[in-house]
Amino acid sequence: MTVGVALLLDLTSRLPRAGASAASAAAHSHPGLSAAAFAATAAAAFSSSGVPLSARHLFGFHGFTVAHCDAGTTAGWNDGSDELVNELNTKILDSMQYARKDYFHNTTKEYPSELKPLFSAFGLKNFTITTLRSFLLYYLPLIQPKPHTDSEDEDDDLLHDAQEKPVDLVTPFYNSVKQIMRETSIVTTRRVLERIVVRHVSQRTAWKLLKDASKSSKRKAARGMSTPQYTYCVARTTFRAHALGVSAAWVVQSIIEVYRCFIRKPSDDYESDDQFFDMNKFRLFGRKIYGITIKSCFSLVLASVGAGIGALVHPVHGQWFGCALGDVAGPIIAIIVFEKMQLPL
């Protein structure tokens, strides 16, 4: 209807010149027609914008109203339109300022994934530390003080003969070499798992699995967390960061058990070859994998708990020491617990 009124006014304006002034004066002499013309024109322009009348409330437009009043009053927007426009402008300006402030204070978090070299275990520093630790592990028990006795009984002669037996230095050497190969294999396997994680999981998950737990503990210590929350956060971060290392150790140990159960020849301890070549080897392999899995789970959980407790002493060194101590104590505690519960492990 508003469009029709606008068309009628347009046709009226196109009348011949003789009656143009009279028609125009007649059309605009009445305030109601003037208001109707203004409202019709505005409504036609708004309808041409493509927004249907039934959906204008969704866009915040409440339409136009016509002031049905006496002469001397002009039609226009609703009462308080100036306040509405000012309020809308204020809201837009405030939202822009808040967005700008939120961008500078809470910038988008980045997840950098720093991959170490694939054969970092064979670097000079790492390989030297691994070698020294392995040799000390098996050769230190040989360096023990001899028991001193003052008695001159016959038992002393037997003890003296036993002490003069040659010390076996070959077996500890073989064990040390095996330990070096095992540790370097675990580190290399972890590097392979890190590359698989970066390639096949999200960037955020890969960052959590590859982050340095000690540095993360130091950053958390500067946030002023409460003691329970700080301990929980450090333990959770250590659990994620230490998961790949435990997984790598599980993979390497499982491969070793595959070699022992299916490839290596049976030793003399077996009563017959049937225990090696029969279906019992699958049962033996299953028990070995079961025990490795239980020990790995205990190691991961206790390493996380130890890191959370150690971080209370020192954010960096305490976290590292607690993680290492829990990692070593995990398999031992698992054996003790299963022996107390009389369960096979």
Side-chain angles (χ1 to χ4, degrees):
M1 180 177 178
T2 55
V3 178
V5 174
L7 291 176
L8 289 176
L9 292 175
D10 183 63
L11 290 175
T12 305
S13 62
R14 297 190 182 190
L15 290 174
R17 287 184 176 274
S21 59
S24 175
H28 293 284
S29 61
H30 196 277
L33 289 179
S34 178
F38 178 80
T41 306
F46 189 79
S47 62
S48 63
S49 63
V51 181
L53 293 174
S54 61
R56 288 179 186 173
H57 66 281
L58 298 177
F59 297 90
F61 300 104
H62 302 286
F64 299 90
T65 57
V66 179
H68 300 281
C69 55
D70 297 332
T73 305
T74 57
W77 297 83
N78 290 333
D79 294 337
S81 60
D82 295 336
E83 291 79 3
L84 180 63
V85 173
N86 293 333
E87 183 180 358
L88 182 61
N89 292 334
T90 304
K91 289 183 178 180
I92 294 175
L93 183 60
D94 293 342
S95 61
M96 292 176 63
Q97 292 178 354
Y98 176 78
R100 187 182 297 109
K101 185 185 299 183
D102 182 70
Y103 175 78
F104 284 108
H105 287 280
N106 302 318
T107 56
T108 304
K109 192 172 184 179
E110 297 181 357
Y111 304 101
S113 299
E114 299 179 358
L115 290 175
K116 296 181 180 180
L118 182 61
F119 299 102
S120 61
F122 298 95
L124 180 60
K125 180 181 178 181
N126 296 332
F127 190 76
T128 302
I129 294 175
T130 302
T131 304
L132 290 176
R133 184 171 60 246
S134 300
F135 277 99
L136 290 176
L137 178 64
Y138 289 98
Y139 277 100
L140 278 180
L142 301 178
I143 307 174
Q144 294 179 356
K146 298 179 181 181
H148 180 71
T149 56
D150 296 333
S151 62
E152 297 179 356
D153 298 335
E154 294 180 356
D155 295 338
D156 295 340
D157 297 334
L158 297 176
L159 182 62
H160 181 71
D161 295 338
Q163 289 176 354
E164 288 184 352
K165 289 182 179 179
V167 180
D168 186 11
L169 299 178
V170 178
T171 302
F173 179 79
Y174 285 149
N175 293 333
S176 300
V177 172
K178 291 179 182 178
Q179 182 66 20
I180 293 171
M181 294 176 61
R182 184 183 292 109
E183 291 192 14
T184 53
S185 300
I186 290 174
V187 175
T188 306
T189 304
R190 176 170 182 169
R191 300 293 176 254
V192 174
L193 293 178
E194 289 175 355
R195 281 156 175 78
I196 294 175
V197 165
V198 171
R199 186 177 181 86
H200 294 285
V201 302
S202 63
Q203 187 178 7
R204 183 171 179 266
T205 305
W207 176 72
K208 289 183 177 181
L209 294 175
L210 270 64
K211 69 163 50 175
D212 192 338
S214 299
K215 295 181 180 179
S216 179
S217 176
K218 184 178 180 180
R219 291 193 297 266
K220 289 180 174 60
R223 297 177 185 174
M225 299 180 179
S226 61
T227 300
Q229 184 181 6
Y230 177 68
T231 304
Y232 169 74
C233 292
V234 172
R236 182 182 59 183
T237 302
T238 305
F239 184 90
R240 295 169 178 171
H242 196 58
L244 288 181
V246 175
S247 301
W250 183 89
V251 171
V252 172
Q253 192 64 31
S254 300
I255 294 175
I256 293 174
E257 294 300 332
V258 169
Y259 169 77
R260 290 176 178 175
C261 295
F262 298 99
I263 300 176
R264 190 180 64 177
K265 293 182 179 180
S267 60
D268 297 336
D269 297 335
Y270 294 107
E271 297 179 357
S272 62
D273 294 342
D274 295 338
Q275 189 173 1
F276 185 80
F277 292 102
D278 198 20
M279 288 297 295
N280 292 331
K281 62 184 179 181
F282 291 101
R283 298 177 184 176
L284 178 63
F285 177 72
R287 289 199 302 267
K288 294 291 184 180
I289 296 300
Y290 170 74
I292 294 171
T293 305
I294 295 298
K295 293 176 183 178
S296 300
C297 293
F298 269 79
S299 178
L300 181 59
V301 172
L302 290 180
S304 304
V305 174
I309 297 175
L312 298 177
V313 179
H314 192 275
V316 179
H317 302 292
Q319 187 275 339
W320 177 86
F321 182 77
C323 179
L325 184 62
D327 191 13
V328 174
I332 300 175
I333 295 179
I335 294 174
I336 295 174
V337 169
F338 274 72
E339 286 181 355
K340 293 293 183 181
M341 299 175 63
Q342 297 181 354
L343 295 175
L345 184 60

